[in-house]
Amino acid sequence: MGQQDRACNPSRRSCLCPGCGSDRSLDFGRCTVPVELSHADAPTIIKQITEALRESRLKKCHDCQLFFRWPQLSSDDLATLYQNLPAAFWEYNAKEVGSWNRARSILASRYATSESISILDVGAFDGAFLSLLSDRWEKFAIEPSPVGQGKLRESNVHVIADFATNLDLTEHAGRYDVVTLFDVFEHLPRPCQTLDQLSLLVKPGGILIVSTGNAEHWSWRLLGGQQWYLHSAQHLCFATLPFFRRWAESSGMQVQSSVRHPHQIGSLRRRFVQSVETIHAWAKRTNRKRMLGLVYRIPGFRYLSHKQGLTFTTSLHDHLMVVFQKPTTNN
Ligand SMILES: [Zn+2]
């Protein structure tokens, strides 16, 4: 469990929650060293910026229940980081992406494929999620990457902006039946401001679907700052259901449903292996020799005695999807 953090005492050092601005936080230990620092091909400027995060720590806001990395990069450093990231194409199988499959089921139960609805995917990249949906639905995207924008236009998706902050709200406010945000929340330096902005885009009676890592998952409780989701310097904020409920209350949205899901859908065996690997990482970190002995005696897990570095437990249900509904004006 975290401890009240003296380093966050404003008289010693200003450590303010990026969600609500509170100066009261709990400390959950040192974060794992960002992968950008050890990556051989990372440009020097990226290594210089992420060096500031080598000793970063995981904090939890006492007031809004948001987890966040501290210190946070300045907005200038974040902009430089994104400008200098090598253009990457993520390898994925759309059928295995946990958030897309959950969201597709939610939308299928809510809207007929023949219905005429408009959907905006924020951070749509190449449009792989939108391509899973009915061709009758009108599709829109916000996407910073020029490569992604090109692919989206080829698929007849309307690219309305490169960043949510570059939107003309007079043109887009209240326009979309559905707004989706997958694996973007954790990149947001001011998450409540961005959620506020996205909620303005939703029609009365429409929904906003957000999926990101769930910092209340048991693997976070065991591993704190060593959980795999902290591997990247680009990951800044980590949600919890109480945080989302609090934001909804303040913004006039309603939490319609929430579901836990994996980043990548895996077999029961894969989940079991990753659960044991997580328990092993915790036992090693906290020097629990008896537990380590037990793990090594499980057939097939002896290899863990040589394991170094992070375990990417991407098939555990450590992600959270929340569906927010905008009340109709009559409510
Ligand atoms: Zn807060």
Side-chain angles (χ1 to χ4, degrees):
M1 290 297 291
Q3 297 175 338
Q4 190 78 41
D5 184 14
R6 290 208 186 93
C8 267
N9 183 325
S11 65
R12 295 182 59 184
R13 192 175 174 208
S14 176
C15 166
L16 303 179
C17 167
C20 70
S22 168
D23 60 7
R24 299 195 299 167
S25 63
L26 301 168
D27 186 82
F28 281 74
R30 193 175 62 78
C31 297
T32 186
V33 176
V35 67
E36 290 85 352
L37 266 176
S38 53
H39 205 289
D41 299 333
T44 309
I45 183 73
I46 288 186
K47 291 193 175 183
Q48 284 170 348
I49 290 171
T50 49
E51 184 61 39
L53 304 180
R54 186 184 286 280
E55 300 293 330
S56 60
R57 301 190 71 84
L58 179 65
K59 306 287 184 184
K60 179 186 184 186
C61 175
H62 181 273
D63 293 309
C64 76
Q65 317 290 306
L66 180 73
F67 282 72
F68 58 96
R69 185 196 293 275
W70 188 263
Q72 297 254 312
L73 294 177
S74 68
S75 51
D76 285 350
D77 279 347
L78 272 175
T80 309
L81 181 72
Y82 282 110
Q83 280 158 14
N84 287 280
L85 281 175
F89 245 100
W90 300 307
E91 293 288 331
Y92 54 74
N93 175 349
K95 286 185 181 156
E96 287 187 358
V97 179
S99 55
W100 295 351
N101 282 278
R102 293 284 174 175
R104 185 167 63 159
S105 303
I106 289 166
L107 294 174
S109 66
R110 191 178 171 96
Y111 303 104
T113 50
S114 57
E115 222 171 318
S116 172
I117 66 160
S118 55
I119 176 165
L120 167 66
D121 190 19
V122 180
F125 196 52
D126 63 359
F129 167 66
L130 291 172
S131 72
L132 300 173
L133 308 177
S134 169
D135 290 337
R136 298 287 301 274
W137 296 356
E138 202 177 2
K139 298 168 184 174
F140 300 84
I142 293 176
E143 173 52 42
S145 131
V147 179
Q149 289 178 7
K151 296 255 175 197
L152 287 158
R153 291 194 178 103
E154 281 171 23
S155 312
N156 295 322
V157 175
H158 310 282
V159 180
I160 63 167
D162 49 1
F163 284 101
T165 45
N166 294 352
L167 269 185
D168 177 3
L169 280 173
T170 51
E171 192 185 333
H172 294 280
R175 185 170 169 183
Y176 304 98
D177 295 284
V178 180
V179 175
T180 54
L181 188 73
F182 303 127
D183 299 312
V184 173
F185 178 92
E186 63 275 11
H187 294 256
L188 302 174
R190 296 285 172 267
C192 293
Q193 286 175 20
T194 305
L195 292 179
D196 284 345
Q197 196 156 20
L198 296 181
S199 69
L200 293 175
L201 305 177
V202 180
K203 278 182 190 170
I207 55 173
L208 167 64
I209 303 179
V210 180
S211 167
T212 184
N214 173 20
E216 286 188 311
H217 186 259
W218 64 266
S219 61
W220 284 79
R221 288 174 199 249
L222 291 188
L223 301 180
Q226 302 297 306
Q227 216 271 0
W228 73 270
Y229 217 47
L230 286 139
H231 74 284
S232 170
Q234 301 163 51
H235 288 190
L236 315 172
C237 291
F238 311 100
T240 61
L241 189 54
F243 165 81
F244 280 133
R245 288 194 187 284
R246 187 180 186 274
W247 170 75
E249 211 166 287
S250 70
S251 66
M253 298 289 274
Q254 295 165 346
V255 175
Q256 193 185 58
S257 63
S258 66
V259 61
R260 285 150 209 262
H261 65 85
H263 186 68
Q264 187 180 28
I265 297 168
S267 65
L268 205 56
R269 166 149 182 86
R270 200 197 291 177
R271 285 168 62 188
F272 171 69
V273 168
Q274 294 186 352
S275 296
V276 174
E277 288 177 344
T278 302
I279 291 165
H280 169 261
W282 163 73
K284 202 168 170 188
R285 179 174 163 239
T286 52
N287 204 21
R288 285 175 160 78
K289 291 197 169 66
R290 237 179 116 215
M291 179 59 81
L292 287 171
L294 282 173
V295 168
Y296 298 147
R297 280 204 289 277
I298 304 173
F301 285 95
R302 183 72 209 165
Y303 72 93
L304 286 175
S305 61
H306 308 293
K307 174 137 180 63
Q308 301 287 334
L310 279 192
T311 301
F312 283 76
T313 52
T314 53
S315 291
L316 297 183
H317 285 212
D318 63 358
H319 273 52
L320 178 66
M321 177 171 290
V322 181
V323 180
F324 302 96
Q325 179 156 29
K326 190 171 206 169
T328 55
T329 41
N330 296 334
N331 283 355

